[in-house]
Amino acid sequence: MTRQERIAALKAIAKERILILDGSWGVMIQKRGLAEADYRGERFAHHNLELKGNNDLLCITRPDVIADLHDQYYAAGADISETNTFSATTIAQAEYECGEAVYDINFQGAQIARKVADAWTAKEPHKPRFVAGSVGPLNKMLSMSSDVNDPGARLVTFEEVYKAYREQMIALHEGGVDLYLIETITDTLNCKAAIKAILDLEDEGYEPLPIWISGTITDRSGRTLSGQTVEAFWNSVKHARPFAVGLNCALGAELMRPHIAELARVADTLVSAYPNAGLPNAMGEYDEQPHQTGHQLHEWAEQGLVNILGGCCGTTPDHIRHVAEEVAGVKPRGVPERPKAMRLAGLEPFELA
């Protein structure tokens, strides 16, 4: 299939059933017990910093590991798998002094996922597989000061964030992803820079791809790290006309549910959710079992809250298998038609009918 045929198929399937996303990448990579040499490979053999933990580099140095993880998630029932490019921007990679590798990480990450997805589609043409280009948050924020004594202090400018995301988007696009997934959003202004990068590329002649936006509620307050409520967050990004909007990470399913319900109420597009496997224990590990995650997300599906489900931190292919089995045959959420109104947002939403 061509990319536009795949996008059309993705949108058609979303009307018929709940789509399944893959699960955690970090926990699965940790299970492989990789050494420093795996991260260095030949290209970074003489790099001056320790690279273990920079999982995105594995797209270059251990593509076999990344391909195997895509394969496991597709085998578990995932329709969509994310590229291993969560931190593949010049800003995030500066911590490891690997900025020069950003294009290659994203391009190779997209190519690896594309090859595995296409192999599964050829094997099971009734269930095509799709690739989402993972665009993660940055370690620097535009909305919040970097200095408690100076409210206007920032470590980056909007132009710098825009430029970093633009480079990532180009590489993901040229590598063959089917859609962009701007995920784990803690700062809406950073997200808006990513959105602008995508829309500008379309204006410059790049083939339009669906945009999927996924924010993060950081605690029980129901707000993002930059302070927005769920509805205010939606009002801030709805101009992008995203294919889907949702929440991921931070909270387990139990604590995330009311926020997903609120998003389902206000968003006139598909709603996604991929929570962690509960909250981490004292050792930072996740104890929620696959059947527990599957049961909770089944209830969300039955209540008509979601269109796309998957897993974040702590989830494994077994978690995704249970989720896929639990929601098989459950109708996806119907997208509501909201009355026309001017909807604005600061930290709180504002509506003028």
Side-chain angles (χ1 to χ4, degrees):
M1 289 192 287
T2 66
R3 181 149 55 184
Q4 285 304 312
E5 288 173 337
R6 292 195 300 269
I7 292 171
L10 176 66
K11 292 179 178 179
I13 293 169
K15 294 179 180 179
E16 300 298 324
R17 63 177 176 83
I18 293 172
L19 291 164
I20 302 299
L21 178 68
D22 61 13
S24 171
W25 278 78
V27 70
M28 294 302 294
I29 290 173
Q30 288 174 9
K31 288 176 182 290
R32 301 298 289 259
L34 301 178
E36 177 71 11
D38 293 295
Y39 289 84
R40 288 181 175 272
E42 293 183 8
R43 178 167 174 174
F44 305 100
H46 304 293
H47 196 74
N48 61 320
L49 296 179
E50 183 177 340
L51 296 176
K52 186 176 180 180
N54 187 1
N55 291 340
D56 294 9
L57 279 188
L58 297 172
C59 293
I60 296 173
T61 62
R62 289 298 306 271
D64 58 313
V65 170
I66 304 307
D68 178 62
L69 293 180
H70 284 299
D71 192 63
Q72 289 187 50
Y73 277 123
Y74 285 131
D79 299 291
I80 307 167
S81 187
E82 302 178 51
T83 56
N84 182 47
T85 57
F86 187 78
S87 300
T89 58
T90 50
I91 293 174
Q93 285 295 319
E95 179 180 349
Y96 293 95
E97 297 182 7
C98 290
E100 54 84 24
V102 161
Y103 181 90
D104 292 340
I105 293 171
N106 285 285
F107 182 82
Q108 293 298 333
Q111 288 271 285
I112 294 166
R114 176 82 275 138
K115 182 177 180 180
V116 179
D118 289 349
W120 273 97
T121 299
K123 184 163 60 174
E124 298 180 351
H126 64 283
K127 183 181 170 64
R129 304 309 206 274
F130 307 96
V131 176
S134 175
V135 179
L138 305 179
N139 49 3
K140 298 176 181 178
M141 299 176 67
L142 289 169
S143 294
M144 297 177 67
S145 172
S146 56
D147 182 351
V148 294
N149 297 311
D150 181 2
R154 299 292 187 274
L155 296 175
V156 284
T157 65
F158 186 89
E159 185 62 29
E160 288 169 338
V161 172
Y162 166 84
K163 183 179 179 181
Y165 279 131
R166 176 186 171 88
E167 181 178 4
Q168 183 177 32
M169 303 300 183
I170 290 174
L172 289 171
H173 194 294
E174 294 178 352
V177 301
D178 299 311
L179 67 160
Y180 299 110
L181 173 49
I182 309 171
E183 61 176 334
T184 323
I185 299 161
T186 54
D187 185 345
T188 308
L189 193 53
N190 282 21
C191 173
K192 289 170 82 71
I195 291 170
K196 177 172 170 52
I198 294 171
L199 298 181
D200 283 356
L201 289 176
E202 290 181 11
D203 290 341
E204 293 167 23
Y206 278 79
E207 183 180 19
L209 302 182
I211 303 172
W212 178 358
I213 299 171
S214 185
T216 294
I217 301 299
T218 55
D219 56 36
R220 294 172 187 260
S221 70
R223 294 177 183 270
T224 64
L225 187 60
S226 54
Q228 287 191 305
T229 65
V230 169
E231 185 174 0
F233 172 70
W234 167 241
N235 286 356
S236 296
V237 300
K238 69 188 300 291
H239 69 281
R241 298 181 180 178
F243 163 73
V245 67
L247 299 174
N248 75 287
C249 200
L251 307 176
E254 182 179 358
L255 295 178
M256 185 187 284
R257 189 200 175 284
H259 311 307
I260 285 294
E262 175 66 2
L263 191 57
R265 181 184 69 83
V266 300
D268 51 358
T269 190
L270 304 185
V271 165
S272 68
Y274 48 114
N276 293 345
L279 295 176
N281 60 28
M283 302 300 293
E285 299 175 343
Y286 294 86
D287 298 323
E288 187 172 281
Q289 297 301 303
H291 70 275
Q292 294 174 305
T293 303
H295 178 69
Q296 291 186 81
L297 298 190
H298 169 80
E299 291 183 350
W300 294 11
E302 286 284 0
Q303 292 160 6
L305 299 181
V306 289
N307 303 91
I308 308 173
L309 287 171
C312 203
C313 301
T315 58
T316 65
D318 203 24
H319 285 81
I320 299 308
R321 182 175 295 104
H322 275 78
V323 172
E325 291 173 352
E326 284 277 0
V327 304
V330 181
K331 291 184 178 180
R333 161 185 169 271
V335 177
E337 289 188 16
R338 299 190 69 193
K340 290 186 177 180
M342 181 172 69
R343 296 184 174 93
L344 307 175
L347 299 184
E348 306 281 343
F350 175 80
E351 181 173 317
L352 183 62

